[in-house]
Amino acid sequence: MKLSTIPFVPGRPLAATAAAAMACLMLAGCASVNRPRADDAELVRERETQNELIVERQLRRQRRLDGIAFDFMRRNAPFCGKDAIASVDARVANLAAFPEARRAAVARRFGVGEGLSVLWTLPGESALREGDRVASIRGVPAEPGERGLRQWREALRASDGELRLTVLRDGREQPVSAPTRPACDYPVMANPDAAINAFNDGEQIVFYAGMLDLFAEDRDIAVVLGHELAHGTRGHVAKGRAAAVFGALLDTALGDTGLVAGLASAPFSRRMEAEADYTGLYMAANAGYDIAQAERVWREIGVTVASSADKKAADTHPSSPERYVAIRRTVAEIQDRQRAGRPLAP
C-alpha cells in the first residue's frame, strides 16, 4: 500500500493522518512477512551455520588461552604442591567434553568424534599432531565418551615423564611417546559471556569472553591468570566459596552450566584479593611475562566497568586506584629480585 492512497482530509489533524498511514503500512508489512516453518530446510541450515560460528569463535579463544596457560601452569607447578598433574603439549578431547547442544557443530566443523583426538598442539616441537586420534593409552584401548576423558586424566596423573600412546595418523596406527611435564592442576577455560570477568572455582579457572576481548596482549591476560591461580594456591577458594565441579571439560567454554553466576558472585575478602594480586604477579613474572605495566590491567578493568560498578564487588575487591599503587610497588619488588638474581618466590 502506498502512502498516497491515504488522502489528507481538511480539518483532520495531520498526526491522525500520519498514524493512519503507519497503521496501514504495518498491516501491509505483516501480510508480507515470510516466516519459515520450524522444519524449513533453509532455517535448519542457518541454525547449523550459526552454531558452527559460535563453536569456532569460542575455540579460537580457548586456543589463545591454552597458548598462555599451558606453559604458565608448568612454570608455576612448584607453587601448586599437591595440586599438580602431568601435561602434554596438546589439547586432547572428544565430543563428551562439549555441551550437548554444540556437539553436532563441533563434529561438523572440527571432525571431533566420540574417541579422543588432538584438537591442537602448542607452538614448538610436539610428539602429537593436530588431528591425531588416540587409539590406546599405555597399552589399553582408548575408551569413548566420558570414560575416555577420565582415562586420559588418570593416565596423566600416573605419568612419570612420558605418556605411551598409539595414535591413528594419516590412516595408519603408530606408537607415540609424548613427553609430560608437571603443571598446576587448574584447567583454564573460556566462557562465551561478554562480561569482563574471570574466576577460580576450585576446579578450574574461567575467563569470560569480555575479559579476553578487552586485552589483546597475552601479558595482560597472564596478570589476571596469575591472580586467579593465586586464589587457589593460597587457599582462598576453600575459604571464600565452595568448590564446584563442572559437568564437562569445556562446559563453560561453549555452554551455560548455571553455576557461573553464583560462583562469580561469591565473596572474597579485600585481604584475599590483595594477596592474590601480590602472589599472582610473582607467578606471571616466573612464567616469563613482562609485568612492568601490570598495574595498567587493573586500571583498564576499573575504568571499563566504572559506569556499572557493582556495590558487592566494590566491597570485596580493592579499588582500581588502590591496586594501581600496590601493584606498582610489587612490580618494583620483583624487578629488584630479578636484577639481583634472586628466586621469584613470593
Side-chain angles (χ1 to χ4, degrees):
M1 180 178 292
K2 296 182 179 179
L3 189 59
S4 59
T5 62
I6 302 176
F8 173 71
V9 180
R12 184 180 186 182
L14 184 59
T17 301
M22 182 61 70
C24 289
L25 286 171
M26 292 175 65
L27 288 172
C30 290
S32 63
V33 168
N34 293 315
R35 299 193 63 181
R37 292 173 43 171
D39 60 350
D40 187 288
E42 187 175 356
L43 178 60
V44 172
R45 286 194 298 272
E46 179 59 28
R47 285 173 177 159
E48 291 176 349
T49 298
Q50 291 191 20
N51 265 329
E52 288 177 18
L53 289 173
I54 291 171
V55 166
E56 186 173 351
R57 183 173 299 178
Q58 284 309 113
L59 288 188
R60 186 165 59 245
R61 291 191 179 103
Q62 186 62 56
R63 188 166 189 165
R64 179 195 175 193
L65 265 181
D66 284 358
I68 301 169
F70 274 44
D71 188 59
F72 193 105
M73 294 302 186
R74 287 173 167 180
R75 295 201 188 194
N76 286 294
F79 297 117
C80 290
K82 63 180 181 180
D83 291 328
I85 190 172
S87 66
V88 296
D89 295 326
R91 168 69 69 179
V92 177
N94 60 26
L95 281 182
F98 296 84
E100 189 171 354
R102 305 294 186 206
R103 290 176 186 174
V106 172
R108 286 192 306 269
R109 179 66 182 82
F110 295 96
V112 178
E114 290 296 327
L116 293 169
S117 61
V118 178
L119 300 187
W120 54 73
T121 60
L122 300 184
E125 294 293 328
S126 176
L128 295 169
R129 295 183 187 175
E130 185 172 333
D132 280 350
R133 298 185 181 276
V134 180
S136 71
I137 306 172
R138 303 173 69 198
V140 179
E143 298 276 359
E146 293 183 3
R147 296 195 307 275
L149 295 176
R150 288 194 295 269
Q151 181 185 16
W152 179 257
R153 186 170 176 80
E154 289 167 2
L156 290 176
R157 286 197 175 280
S159 173
D160 57 358
E162 69 173 9
L163 192 59
R164 292 185 298 105
L165 306 168
T166 302
V167 302
L168 183 63
R169 179 184 297 171
D170 299 328
R172 295 181 301 176
E173 286 192 356
Q174 64 180 78
V176 170
S177 179
T180 63
R181 290 173 55 192
C184 294
D185 191 13
Y186 286 94
V188 183
M189 312 309 302
N191 182 288
D193 196 302
I196 299 172
N197 193 22
F199 66 90
N200 183 336
D201 69 12
E203 294 291 326
Q204 61 185 358
I205 294 170
V206 178
F207 274 79
Y208 283 38
M211 180 72 79
L212 293 170
D213 295 345
L214 181 62
F215 297 113
E217 296 290 338
D218 290 351
R219 66 186 180 190
D220 297 336
I221 296 299
V223 170
V224 181
L225 177 56
H227 174 92
E228 296 304 332
L229 179 58
H231 274 313
T233 61
R234 298 197 69 138
H236 296 166
V237 174
K239 296 175 184 176
R241 67 182 89 180
V245 180
F246 284 71
L249 181 65
L250 296 184
D251 194 17
T252 54
L254 297 172
D256 184 3
T257 63
L259 292 172
V260 172
L263 289 169
S265 63
F268 281 120
S269 72
R270 283 180 174 267
R271 180 183 58 79
M272 290 179 182
E273 288 298 318
E275 288 175 354
D277 283 346
Y278 181 78
T279 302
L281 278 175
Y282 271 91
M283 290 177 166
N286 194 56
Y289 287 95
D290 179 6
I291 62 167
Q293 302 297 321
E295 73 274 9
R296 178 181 53 80
V297 173
W298 300 112
R299 185 195 300 129
E300 182 67 22
I301 293 173
V303 168
T304 303
V305 303
S307 60
S308 59
D310 185 351
K311 176 63 165 61
K312 185 180 293 184
D315 286 343
T316 59
H317 290 62
S319 69
S320 187
E322 289 174 346
R323 272 187 165 151
Y324 182 97
V325 173
I327 290 175
R328 183 168 51 188
R329 292 174 179 173
T330 303
V331 167
E333 176 183 306
I334 292 172
Q335 290 174 334
D336 285 344
R337 290 195 177 207
Q338 289 174 323
R339 283 190 291 268
R342 297 168 60 194
L344 295 181

